[in-house]
Amino acid sequence: MRGLLLHGLGFVHCLRAEYEEATAVAERAVALSASSDDAVVQLASCTIQGQVNMLQGRPRMARTWLERGIPLLESVEDLSGRHFAADPAVTLTSMLGLQLLHLGLVNQGRARLLEAHARADQLGQPMARMVAMWFEMMFELRLDNVQRVAALADEMRTLSEEFALANGRTACRWFGGWADARMGAPLEG
C-alpha cells in the first residue's frame, strides 16, 4: 500500500508541475525500497522519476528510469488491475515509447506503444486504453501524422463517453481540434 500511495502522490505532484516535490517522493520511495525490497515502491520511484524527467524535457534520463522499471512489472502483475488508476505496464511502456521518439528511435517507440495497446486491450481497462491512446496521440502529433491523431481522438471520444472518463473527454477535444486545424478547418479546430 505504501508503494501505491507514493505512486499516487508523485503523480499528483507531476500533474501540478511540482517537480521538486515529485522527485522528493521518488527519492523517498528509493530509500524505502532499499530496506524493504518492495517492488511496488521501486516501481513508483522509477515511474515518478521517468515522468518528471519526461515533463522537464530530459528524454535520456526519462528513458533510463522508465527502462529500470520494466523488469519490476512482473513483480506487481497481480496488483495491476486492482490498485493503480491505470495499469502500470501500460503507463510505463507508453511513456517509454514517447521518450524513444524524442531520442530519434521512432520504430522502437512505436513498438512500445503497440505493446501498451496490446496490454490495454487484453486487460479491457478503460483507463489503460485511454493512457495508451493519449501517449500514441502525443507520439503521432510530434510526427505530424494528422490522420492517425484524428482517428485516435475519435476512439478516445467513444471510450470517454462509454465509461464517463472526464479527462478523456477534454483530451479528445484537444487532439481532435489540432487534427481539424491541420486538415484545413482551423476555426472548427
Side-chain angles (χ1 to χ4, degrees):
M1 291 308 292
R2 177 174 48 196
L4 296 169
L5 178 63
L6 290 170
H7 186 272
L9 179 59
F11 181 73
V12 168
H13 282 306
C14 285
L15 287 176
R16 295 176 58 176
E18 297 169 342
Y19 303 126
E20 288 180 28
E21 292 86 345
T23 301
V25 168
E27 289 169 356
R28 176 76 175 131
V30 168
L32 288 170
S33 70
S35 64
S36 67
D37 199 32
D38 184 340
V40 177
V41 174
Q42 292 171 13
L43 182 62
S45 177
C46 291
T47 305
I48 295 165
Q49 291 279 17
Q51 188 172 22
V52 166
N53 282 286
M54 176 182 75
L55 293 170
Q56 292 190 319
R58 296 188 296 256
R60 282 182 183 77
M61 186 61 72
R63 178 187 183 187
T64 298
W65 279 104
L66 296 169
E67 286 180 338
R68 194 177 293 171
I70 297 289
L72 299 169
L73 291 171
E74 283 185 30
S75 302
V76 300
E77 179 69 25
D78 61 325
L79 297 176
S80 62
R82 295 176 286 167
H83 296 92
F84 290 92
D87 180 69
V90 172
T91 302
L92 199 69
T93 306
S94 296
M95 282 196 293
L96 179 56
L98 186 59
Q99 295 318 293
L100 291 169
L101 170 67
H102 291 162
L103 295 169
L105 304 169
V106 178
N107 293 333
Q108 289 177 15
R110 196 168 263 130
R112 288 297 186 167
L113 287 169
L114 288 173
E115 276 179 52
H117 276 292
R119 170 126 176 122
D121 290 344
Q122 172 197 3
L123 295 171
Q125 294 176 354
M127 283 297 291
R129 290 176 52 209
M130 187 177 71
V131 166
M133 285 180 206
W134 193 308
F135 277 96
E136 185 182 357
M137 281 191 278
M138 291 193 302
F139 186 98
E140 296 298 345
L141 186 139
R142 285 162 173 80
L143 294 175
D144 202 31
N145 188 346
V146 178
Q147 298 298 328
R148 182 64 181 147
V149 172
L152 286 164
D154 286 342
E155 284 181 45
M156 185 182 278
R157 181 176 296 110
T158 300
L159 181 73
S160 298
E161 289 172 4
E162 182 179 348
F163 294 99
L165 303 173
N167 49 352
R169 284 187 198 124
T170 304
C172 69
R173 292 173 67 195
W174 298 332
F175 289 114
W178 175 85
D180 288 344
R182 299 287 292 145
M183 290 190 286
L187 293 177
E188 292 84 349

